[in-house]
Amino acid sequence: MFNNDTIAAISTSYGSGGIGIVRISGEKAFEIAERIFKGKKSIRQVKSHTIHYGKIVDPQDGSIIDEVLLTKMDGPSTFTRENIIEINCHGGIIVLKKVLELVIREGARLAEPGEFTKRAFLNGRIDLTQAEAVIDIINAKTARSSKVALEQLEGKLSVKIKAARDKLVGLIAHIEATLDYPEEDIDKITEMQIYNSLEEIRNMLSDLLSGFDKGKIIKEGIKAVIIGRPNVGKSSLLNQLTGYSRAIVTDIPGTTRDIIEEYINIQGIPVRVIDTAGIRETGDIVEKIGVEKTKKAIESADLIIMMIDAVDGFTQADANVLRFIKGKKIIVLLNKIDLVENEGDTSKFHELKGINELKSIQELEGITIIKTSMKDGRGINDLEKEISRLFIGGEIDTDIEGLMTNVRHASLVEKALNSINDAIIAYHEGMPMDCIVIDIRNAAQYLGEITGETVSDEILNHIFSRFCIGK
């Protein structure tokens, strides 16, 4: 499925750093390294999986390009199951490019995006779900999303998918044996046995699919938009959540003119927090643009954090904003509660303008209201717990073994489930076995596409095109 040539690429990030790595994989990897590396021993003499000091030298003119550490790894005990050389250079981009250009001139070609991982898949070291987990590890935004991706790289999701597919393949074989050799003395399968097996497989796949929403959130995170009237503390909330002064905070309404975005980790969930311009009627052209951007951000938000000034109470302007965001997941923060309490009468909070109306809306819509103070950080922990509850049920240390996070995987599991449901319907309608087995084959085909057992070249190329060059 691929040309068995030798590929090379820079496997570390571009830019200045302590170390940069040029990776070579393929039949000519050792031969190329032999020509350009000068150390105490030749590449032929050194043992596999050992590191050696030396210099990269241009064989044409004898010029030294860099002082390096070279790692030799004999296939198949490597990531790609091919011979691999890794040259640890100094981390300057000019040096790395010179070494890579020399390697290519000596017989390698530049690797395509994700080609090292693709070879690991094609050579049978990992399946397709494990290959996709590599890019998920690279792109992980939190420790939990990294852990989920690592679980997939170790094959824990693959085990569950393969278990279901093996049962389907075994069922197909049993049905076909019954149909093709009716006169033979074999253990023939009955329609009831087929039905029971399909129910078992359906339950296995349903359990997998039920965890997808949680897995997708852990992997991709959520988009949370902070809204409210001007000067209610939106930028202060962003600064509290990020832990540093990300947004400018003043007492002047309309300070935030544009949206400000920041990724943060809330109890293992990657959250893209967006601080927006205050929603109000304004004659300022720049502020008007900011308000329009706020409205667009709200449309695509997974969560709305609406802030209300406890001193002013729940105003008509707040009620208008709340109507605008109806249908979204909403958390209301009653901010500046410290200013109310500092006046010496904490009961005044219950008499604030519009608070009863706000409470009635809370009861109707199921909206959570949290008392906060951006001055002393009060209520921030409650906010984080509520976000966790809304999106992953508040389970901070939930079991993530074999959790499905990939949209492609979920789509194929859903297709497999639909095929199994069609087979069960066919059973109830009294259809013959040779009709029922068609749907069972379709289900096995879909599950095979997840692990790569029945995947097309087009899908493979699409998956690996998302990888960086050098991985």
Side-chain angles (χ1 to χ4, degrees):
M1 295 177 71
F2 64 93
N3 294 324
N4 194 22
D5 50 5
T6 300
I7 57 174
I10 298 170
S11 290
T12 44
S13 299
Y14 274 44
S16 299
I19 297 172
I21 298 174
V22 174
R23 177 186 286 171
I24 315 169
S25 179
E27 290 182 352
K28 295 182 180 179
F30 296 166
E31 178 186 328
I32 292 169
E34 187 74 49
R35 290 197 292 269
I36 66 173
F37 177 75
K38 303 302 176 187
K40 288 185 177 181
K41 295 181 179 179
S42 69
I43 298 298
R44 292 189 303 273
Q45 295 173 315
V46 301
K47 294 180 180 179
S48 178
H49 292 77
T50 55
I51 300 174
H52 303 272
Y53 165 78
K55 296 175 182 178
I56 298 296
V57 178
D58 188 332
Q60 288 188 353
D61 58 15
S63 61
I64 298 173
I65 295 177
D66 196 17
E67 189 177 32
V68 302
L69 291 174
L70 181 142
T71 305
K72 174 188 175 182
M73 292 174 276
D74 290 338
S77 300
T78 65
F79 180 65
T80 61
R81 284 197 167 169
E82 301 173 338
N83 292 339
I84 285 183
I85 292 288
E86 287 189 352
I87 304 171
N88 291 256
C89 311
H90 290 95
I93 190 60
I94 299 301
V95 171
L96 285 166
K97 281 185 174 180
K98 281 186 176 181
V99 173
L100 179 61
E101 287 167 3
L102 181 59
V103 168
I104 291 171
R105 193 187 76 195
E106 291 298 316
R109 69 164 172 82
L110 185 64
E112 296 174 358
E115 191 168 3
F116 292 97
T117 307
K118 186 176 182 179
R119 289 190 173 199
F121 164 68
L122 293 175
N123 287 326
R125 185 185 176 276
I126 55 177
D127 67 24
L128 196 53
T129 60
Q130 291 172 291
E132 289 173 286
V134 172
I135 195 68
D136 290 342
I137 289 174
I138 293 170
N139 293 332
K141 298 179 179 69
T142 67
R144 184 184 287 184
S145 58
S146 176
K147 185 178 179 181
V148 170
L150 186 59
E151 295 272 356
Q152 291 187 6
L153 181 60
E154 291 176 348
K156 293 184 178 177
L157 175 61
S158 303
V159 168
K160 294 183 177 182
I161 297 293
K162 286 179 179 177
R165 187 172 187 272
D166 287 347
K167 285 183 180 293
L168 286 171
V169 171
L171 187 58
I172 292 167
H174 204 165
I175 293 172
E176 290 182 344
T178 300
L179 293 173
D180 294 343
Y181 306 102
E183 305 301 326
E184 296 293 330
D185 185 20
I186 58 173
D187 183 19
K188 295 179 177 60
I189 193 168
T190 66
E191 284 86 351
M192 180 55 71
Q193 287 174 318
I194 295 173
Y195 170 75
N196 290 336
S197 295
L198 289 173
E199 282 289 354
E200 181 185 356
I201 297 166
R202 179 163 68 174
N203 291 335
M204 292 170 68
L205 296 182
S206 296
D207 288 344
L208 261 179
L209 201 58
S210 66
F212 171 65
D213 287 341
K214 183 180 293 183
K216 186 172 182 286
I217 288 167
I218 291 172
K219 175 187 172 184
E220 299 179 6
I222 61 172
K223 178 180 177 182
V225 176
I226 307 170
I227 66 167
R229 291 182 289 109
N231 206 31
V232 293
K234 298 185 297 297
S235 297
S236 296
L237 174 61
L238 179 66
N239 291 341
Q240 279 280 355
L241 291 172
T242 58
Y244 64 97
S245 297
R246 177 66 178 84
I248 298 172
V249 177
T250 73
D251 293 329
I252 304 169
T255 300
T256 302
R257 303 296 187 91
D258 201 353
I259 60 175
I260 301 172
E261 300 184 15
E262 190 74 18
Y263 264 107
I264 61 172
N265 177 358
I266 293 182
Q267 298 197 352
I269 304 172
V271 181
R272 179 183 167 201
V273 182
I274 300 176
D275 176 25
T276 62
I279 299 176
R280 66 169 178 173
E281 294 296 325
T282 176
D284 188 304
I285 295 175
V286 177
E287 194 175 349
K288 276 185 177 180
I289 295 171
V291 172
E292 285 304 312
K293 285 188 175 183
T294 296
K295 291 178 179 178
K296 287 182 180 179
I298 289 170
E299 290 175 6
S300 60
D302 301 303
L303 171 67
I304 304 296
I305 301 174
M306 181 179 175
M307 300 190 74
I308 295 172
D309 192 321
V311 176
D312 296 338
F314 184 67
T315 66
Q316 185 58 48
D318 292 321
N320 293 338
V321 172
L322 203 54
R323 279 193 289 271
F324 181 72
I325 60 177
K326 189 175 182 180
K328 295 282 187 179
K329 287 186 176 180
I330 303 167
I331 299 174
V332 172
L333 302 187
L334 198 59
N335 192 36
K336 303 182 183 179
I337 194 68
D338 57 293
L339 296 181
V340 176
E341 294 179 347
N342 284 344
E343 292 184 11
D345 183 8
T346 56
S347 64
K348 183 179 178 182
F349 165 74
H350 301 288
E351 302 168 2
L352 289 175
K353 175 185 174 184
I355 289 300
N356 288 333
E357 182 183 351
L358 176 59
K359 287 181 177 179
S360 67
I361 291 173
Q362 174 191 15
E363 291 172 2
L364 289 172
E365 305 290 342
I367 297 170
T368 299
I369 301 174
I370 300 172
K371 302 174 192 177
T372 62
S373 167
M374 296 305 110
K375 184 176 180 180
D376 58 23
R378 197 182 325 174
I380 297 298
N381 287 340
D382 292 335
L383 172 62
E384 292 182 351
K385 288 177 183 177
E386 181 61 14
I387 292 173
S388 177
R389 185 194 68 80
L390 279 175
F391 288 94
I392 60 172
E395 301 169 33
I396 298 174
D397 296 317
T398 166
D399 180 15
I400 59 173
E401 185 172 314
L403 194 64
M404 190 161 53
T405 62
N406 190 301
V407 173
R408 186 184 77 88
H409 301 165
S411 174
L412 289 167
V413 168
E414 191 169 9
K415 288 179 179 179
L417 266 173
N418 289 337
S419 294
I420 290 170
N421 288 332
D422 289 342
I424 291 173
I425 291 170
Y427 161 78
H428 286 304
E429 291 179 351
M431 300 291 285
M433 284 188 191
D434 52 355
C435 291
I436 296 173
V437 79
I438 294 172
D439 292 317
I440 299 174
R441 283 198 195 98
N442 289 338
Q445 169 76 21
Y446 291 132
L447 295 184
E449 287 184 32
I450 297 176
T451 56
E453 292 167 275
T454 59
V455 74
S456 68
D457 285 350
E458 183 180 358
I459 293 173
L460 283 182
N461 291 335
H462 173 71
I463 290 170
F464 288 105
S465 67
R466 299 184 292 114
F467 282 57
C468 54
I469 294 174
K471 189 56 186 168

